[in-house]
Amino acid sequence: MWNIIRTFYERSVFRTSERAGGSLSEGPSLDLSGKRTTFSRRPVFRILLLTCTLLASLQLRAEDGYRLWLRYDRIDDPSLLAQYSSAITAMIFPTPSPTLLVARNELLDDLGSMLNKKLPIRTSLADNCLLAGTPMTSPVIAQLLSSKYPGLSGDGYVLHTQQTEGKHLIIIAARSNIGVLYGVFAFLRLLQTHQSIQDLSLSSSSLIQRRILDHWDNLTRTVERGYAGASIWNWHLLPGYIDQRYIDYARANASIGINGTVVTNVNANSLVLTPLYLQKVRALADVFRPYGIRVYLTAKFSAPVDIGGLKTADPLDPAVQKWWKDKCDEIYSLIPDFGGFLVKANSEGQPGPQTYGRTHTDGANMFADALAPHGGIVMWRAFVYDARPQTGHADADAHKTAAIDSDTHEIAAPDRFKQAYAEFTPFDGKFRSNVLIQVKNGPIDFQPREPFSPLFGSMPKTPLMMEFQLTQEYLGQGTHLVYEAPLFKEVLDADTYANGKGSTVAKIIDAAASGAPLTGMAGVSNIGNERNWTSHPFGQANWYAFGRLAWDHTLSSRQIADEWIRQTFSNQATVVSALEKMMMASREAVVNYMTPLGLHHIMGFSHHYGPGPWLDNASRADWNPVYYHRADAYGIGFDRTATGSNALAQYQPQVRQQWLDSNTCDEKFLLWFHHISWSHKMKDGKTFWEELCNRYQSGVDTVKWMQQQWQSLTGLIDKERFTQVSMLLDIQEKEAEWWRNACLLYFQTFSRMPIPPGVGHADQTLEYYKSLHFPYAPGSGGSL
Ligand code: GCW
């Protein structure tokens, strides 16, 4: 576009100058690059130039997705614009802190562009004035909070309208500076989503203390399981060069209440703890601080050996303990509000305490002791499945290495499902008070659908932190439109029965049920340096939804989708309704076309892209899809009842009861817990095989329907994102069919049953699907 404008411009200039028979240098003006120059005063030329400038400015405002949900375009409904405009005519916003300063500037800029006017800043009350601050900055706010919102806590905020001294005020108030920034973003959200601001009296406080993005970003700038380009952290140029992205990243996170970032991969590199890198981390922390975002790092357990010159990293060795204490002192001297460490230990090749014959408590508590004097915390991951035997575990079998008999293909293996529970529950109550155990939402690994991890509700004396995965490692990676909020909510709302009915996972992690002193929720980031941050424009919704749910897990998926759509795309009813329907259907669709009815972990090896249910030769049995689906001539599924691995025993009796009987088990979890026959009768009377085929087809059908929905919005969405999403939906449709075809052809070799009518037939052979290889599939920049 730009080139076309320039060519047109140059040609016109050339022709005009030819016709004029002379020089263009007749008067001053602005050229297209904004520099002062001279041009012909001929009207034709001037019109042309104006047109070009207009087109160029439109081009600059094209929706490339960079602005995320923080677009703040002018309110396009004239009557609403008039209402907002007359309700907000000035602002009182003292800024005695960097956070209040960024909050005021954000409000000023964004209201300026939404209302198309610059608001005057006042120091005394005026009618229709916006008053923002804390009890420290305003007696009116002090009075309001103590009289009407005495329970407002920590970083919570209040949006309130009232008459004071005969003047109508809109108040954004909080007890802390960061609360004011959150209040500012909440107020801006009201306007961006076209809500009324006439009679406000709302307050909101976070239900979870630590709301953290985990970046699996390597120092090389590759991103493990990243599908949106390279890491946004430009380590080479830090600390001298501060990319504008760092600031916009902080703004975006603060706007949804995220207050922490782990900037490095859990498959860790000790180098980040060297002085050279700590200076770089400090530069990031300085940028994030005003936005209330703390920086955390991943600590590699072997760092004392890797970079400290010690011979061991044994957590009980005094020299090792001292090394970590000194390291923490060094970090806090640079970053006084450093959050702490996230540690992946004794998992997938990472070293840990068990490497030295020690336990998870020995390891976690060593870090905890080094961090405690500075107020730091340890997030110790429970994602473990290749630990060595240790003393004191509940289920010794869970630790044996899984193996497949190469002749019979029989799986003689313990159940990986059971390992985290087996390794951690014996240590309940034995961790220091500044340790959070970070548990993935399900027992295996971020599958499209998993039952909740049995650890939730099983460690009443230990604070557990939720780990969700925003990056779509197992949900179509960079190309599938999958809105993950329904997945998050399904887990958060699941009842553990740990303290009787109603002990939901959400209540366990927000401490309402367990009374834990420390609470947290982490989301593995889906952010990269693609212009639009997440590559798929709808990936932004998962970042957004994670932040909103970490703040308030009682919000519904639909509510979050609604506000995200309005801010990111449009407030037009047709757009909102179509996109909301697509988003709400998308998670169930991916479950259906990839892993319906409780199938899990049947994707391609290592890169995890595409279907690979036939794979059986990985070095560990539990990296093989055949280990998980166990298809044979009789049927399919993993028996986790007492006749099988008995993983069900890790749940409370009421939960166990829900899933125990294959005839009453919720069908969405059927193959998680049962090995059932191909002709098993499903609730709708069909055989399991028919149902399986239909589910795969229904996943494909939903994607086709999503394509139609999207196409129905032609002309209502900006061209750039419209085209991007159209192309991505085409890929998604092809890949959904690929999953259906490959999986059904493969499973049919066991079921020997026909594909029922209405289910699409494969256009290739099973051998063809098996022959596909993707050596450069993205996202494998890590250890596996
Ligand atoms: O799901 C697996 C991923 C690994 C990841 C690991 C983990 C960072 O395939 O890439 O490693 O989980 O969560 O530690």
Side-chain angles (χ1 to χ4, degrees):
M1 168 82 156
W2 179 249
N3 284 340
I4 297 171
I5 294 169
R6 198 167 45 207
T7 316
F8 185 43
Y9 170 76
E10 280 162 0
R11 282 204 193 130
S12 315
V13 169
F14 182 64
R15 268 193 246 116
T16 314
S17 105
E18 265 186 343
R19 274 204 307 273
S23 154
L24 293 172
S25 310
E26 292 175 25
S29 181
L30 281 178
D31 79 355
L32 292 180
S33 63
K35 284 190 227 116
R36 255 6 235 171
T37 184
T38 54
F39 82 126
S40 163
R41 288 206 175 90
R42 285 169 190 276
V44 170
F45 185 76
R46 230 183 293 168
I47 290 166
L48 194 60
L49 186 58
L50 279 174
T51 315
C52 290
T53 313
L54 187 69
L55 284 172
S57 71
L58 282 178
Q59 165 74 0
L60 286 175
R61 290 191 61 78
E63 286 285 355
D64 60 13
Y66 182 82
R67 294 184 298 164
L68 298 161
W69 49 89
L70 309 171
R71 287 159 70 242
Y72 304 122
D73 283 343
R74 186 167 167 184
I75 302 291
D76 54 10
D77 174 336
S79 75
L80 206 54
L81 177 62
Q83 262 180 49
Y84 289 158
S85 221
S86 58
I88 313 169
T89 57
M91 183 186 295
I92 304 176
F93 203 147
T95 56
S97 85
T99 297
L100 290 179
L101 188 63
V102 297
R104 190 198 64 187
N105 291 345
E106 186 74 44
L107 191 58
L108 211 53
D109 286 356
D110 303 339
L111 284 180
S113 62
M114 281 194 285
L115 306 183
N116 199 29
K117 67 178 181 188
K118 190 165 169 12
L119 290 173
I121 306 274
R122 293 185 182 279
T123 48
S124 56
L125 297 185
D127 201 23
N128 296 322
C129 182
L130 217 159
L131 166 66
T134 66
M136 299 279 286
T137 67
S138 155
V140 176
I141 287 178
Q143 162 68 19
L144 171 72
L145 294 190
S146 63
S147 62
K148 295 221 163 67
Y149 301 93
L152 183 73
S153 62
D155 48 14
Y157 61 83
V158 158
L159 303 181
H160 187 88
T161 43
Q162 68 181 33
Q163 294 287 122
T164 302
E165 296 167 15
K167 303 187 169 73
H168 184 75
L169 302 180
I170 300 179
I171 301 177
I172 302 176
R175 296 201 192 282
S176 65
N177 297 334
I178 189 64
V180 177
L181 180 62
Y182 293 153
V184 161
F185 279 117
F187 182 69
L188 290 167
R189 184 157 59 232
L190 290 183
L191 271 68
Q192 267 214 115
T193 56
H194 290 191
Q195 311 291 307
S196 162
I197 54 168
Q198 265 161 12
D199 290 302
L200 297 175
S201 68
L202 67 91
S203 74
S204 178
S205 294
S206 65
L207 298 175
I208 303 278
Q209 296 159 5
R210 310 273 172 153
R211 306 174 295 275
I212 300 181
L213 277 188
D214 288 0
H215 287 260
W216 287 356
D217 294 19
N218 298 309
L219 300 182
T220 54
R221 295 194 76 178
T222 55
V223 180
E224 184 157 351
R225 312 308 176 187
Y227 311 100
S231 167
I232 53 172
W233 318 129
N234 191 334
W235 293 108
H236 188 64
L237 294 191
L238 280 164
Y241 185 84
I242 300 300
D243 193 322
Q244 175 63 32
R245 259 192 200 254
Y246 305 153
I247 299 158
D248 291 328
Y249 169 86
R251 287 177 59 227
N253 280 324
S255 77
I256 48 177
I258 288 173
N259 65 2
T261 174
V262 183
V263 293
T264 46
N265 191 354
V266 286
N267 287 328
N269 185 335
S270 300
L271 275 187
V272 78
L273 300 174
T274 58
L276 177 76
Y277 276 92
L278 289 177
Q279 288 295 344
K280 298 169 190 278
V281 177
R282 172 202 204 160
L284 290 177
D286 288 345
V287 172
F288 300 157
R289 188 166 298 111
Y291 295 90
I293 295 164
R294 283 171 192 251
V295 166
Y296 299 74
L297 289 174
T298 45
K300 185 151 187 139
F301 206 82
S302 54
V305 178
D306 301 343
I307 58 167
L310 300 191
K311 293 235 155 28
T312 177
D314 180 349
L316 297 191
D317 185 312
V320 173
Q321 294 172 350
K322 178 167 181 332
W323 189 87
W324 282 110
K325 271 191 184 304
D326 293 347
K327 187 49 73 185
C328 288
D329 292 348
E330 180 190 348
I331 296 175
Y332 279 92
S333 71
L334 299 168
I335 309 167
D337 57 350
F338 179 65
F341 292 130
L342 169 64
V343 189
K344 171 175 177 177
N346 293 116
S347 177
E348 297 187 329
Q350 292 298 303
Q354 292 163 356
T355 315
Y356 303 93
R358 311 298 184 190
T359 64
H360 285 297
T361 34
D362 294 332
N365 290 346
M366 171 191 67
F367 287 109
D369 291 343
L371 289 159
H374 307 283
I377 65 161
V378 184
M379 295 170 287
W380 190 264
R381 291 177 93 225
F383 177 69
V384 289
Y385 67 86
D386 58 352
R388 288 140 211 253
Q390 58 182 58
T391 50
H393 40 76
D395 180 353
D397 269 1
H399 301 276
K400 287 186 198 145
T401 307
I404 292 189
D405 185 303
S406 53
D407 295 328
T408 62
H409 281 236
E410 289 273 300
I411 298 157
D415 186 355
R416 175 170 147 189
F417 184 119
K418 294 160 67 178
Q419 189 147 349
Y421 178 100
E423 280 201 33
F424 279 87
T425 50
F427 299 115
D428 188 24
K430 307 241 165 61
F431 293 95
R432 300 276 192 267
S433 58
N434 58 337
V435 176
L436 272 163
I437 302 300
Q438 183 167 307
V439 184
K440 287 190 182 181
N441 57 271
I444 299 290
D445 196 3
F446 298 139
Q447 296 300 293
R449 167 165 282 131
E450 297 201 26
F452 68 90
S453 163
L455 272 176
F456 294 114
S458 301
M459 295 187 68
K461 290 182 260 159
T462 308
L464 302 184
M465 170 175 191
M466 172 62 78
E467 179 175 332
F468 285 127
Q469 191 182 44
L470 317 185
T471 190
Q472 293 169 234
E473 176 178 0
Y474 301 104
L475 291 103
Q477 305 197 341
T479 44
H480 295 207
L481 191 166
V482 180
Y483 175 51
E484 293 173 311
L487 184 165
F488 304 156
K489 286 289 286 184
E490 183 174 293
V491 177
L492 290 166
D493 293 344
D495 199 341
T496 69
Y497 288 89
N499 302 301
K501 197 170 164 44
S503 315
T504 59
V505 171
K507 285 187 186 161
I508 303 287
I509 61 162
D510 81 6
S514 65
L518 202 54
T519 56
M521 201 191 279
V524 178
S525 152
N526 59 353
I527 299 165
N529 73 346
E530 290 274 355
R531 180 71 190 155
N532 72 358
W533 304 83
T534 54
S535 191
H536 198 304
F538 280 75
Q540 297 176 0
N542 295 331
W543 176 8
Y544 184 85
F546 166 73
R548 296 289 287 133
L549 285 173
W551 179 270
D552 180 358
H553 55 68
T554 68
L555 294 170
S556 75
S557 307
R558 192 177 295 281
Q559 215 173 326
I560 297 171
D562 182 274
E563 57 182 53
W564 178 78
I565 295 163
R566 289 172 184 278
Q567 294 171 93
T568 309
F569 283 102
S570 158
N571 277 289
Q572 276 186 65
T574 347
V575 175
V576 177
S577 132
L579 295 191
E580 200 178 288
K581 280 194 239 144
M582 283 170 68
M583 288 168 72
M584 291 305 292
S586 63
R587 189 282 183 122
E588 211 54 43
V590 74
V591 169
N592 283 335
Y593 64 72
M594 285 188 183
T595 50
L597 299 167
L599 279 168
H600 50 283
H601 212 288
I602 57 168
M603 65 287 149
F605 179 65
S606 179
H607 50 61
H608 298 166
Y609 170 66
W614 46 82
L615 294 172
D616 63 1
N617 60 358
S619 58
R620 287 181 59 97
D622 56 11
W623 284 347
N624 283 313
V626 297
Y627 168 90
Y628 294 98
H629 63 68
R630 304 187 171 212
D632 56 22
Y634 170 80
I636 183 168
F638 199 132
D639 181 2
R640 292 191 167 102
T641 67
T643 52
S645 78
N646 206 17
L648 261 180
Q650 295 184 336
Y651 291 99
Q652 295 293 328
Q654 296 91 327
V655 180
R656 221 179 293 160
Q657 202 53 41
Q658 271 167 212
W659 297 329
L660 193 60
D661 179 346
S662 61
N663 292 310
T664 51
C665 175
D666 189 340
E667 288 179 349
K668 59 181 188 256
F669 294 122
L670 197 54
L671 303 188
W672 272 99
F673 298 110
H674 300 280
H675 187 76
I676 54 151
S677 90
W678 296 109
S679 48
H680 172 91
K681 262 240 165 346
M682 299 296 283
K683 288 178 185 146
D684 62 6
K686 296 204 171 64
T687 65
F688 176 81
W689 171 251
E690 284 171 317
E691 187 73 28
L692 184 73
C693 296
N694 290 337
R695 292 289 176 117
Y696 270 108
Q697 183 59 41
S698 114
V700 171
D701 291 344
T702 308
V703 178
K704 288 183 196 289
W705 168 85
M706 280 159 62
Q707 286 177 305
Q708 288 160 9
Q709 290 287 303
W710 185 253
Q711 292 308 322
S712 76
L713 300 178
T714 309
L716 299 179
I717 306 267
D718 55 282
K719 198 157 169 272
E720 193 166 350
R721 290 184 298 176
F722 186 79
T723 312
Q724 276 173 359
V725 174
S726 301
M727 292 189 290
L728 289 167
L729 282 169
D730 289 350
I731 296 176
Q732 186 171 358
E733 188 219 346
K734 288 203 179 61
E735 295 193 353
E737 285 176 345
W738 170 30
W739 271 90
R740 177 199 63 196
N741 296 346
C743 291
L744 290 182
L745 278 181
Y746 170 72
F747 291 132
Q748 196 180 28
T749 64
F750 299 98
S751 79
R752 309 246 163 235
M753 291 168 142
I755 304 281
V759 177
H761 280 260
D763 45 7
Q764 299 284 352
T765 62
L766 179 57
E767 287 320 305
Y768 165 81
Y769 294 115
K770 285 185 175 179
S771 74
L772 299 175
H773 289 289
F774 307 95
Y776 302 116
S780 316
S783 63
L784 279 180

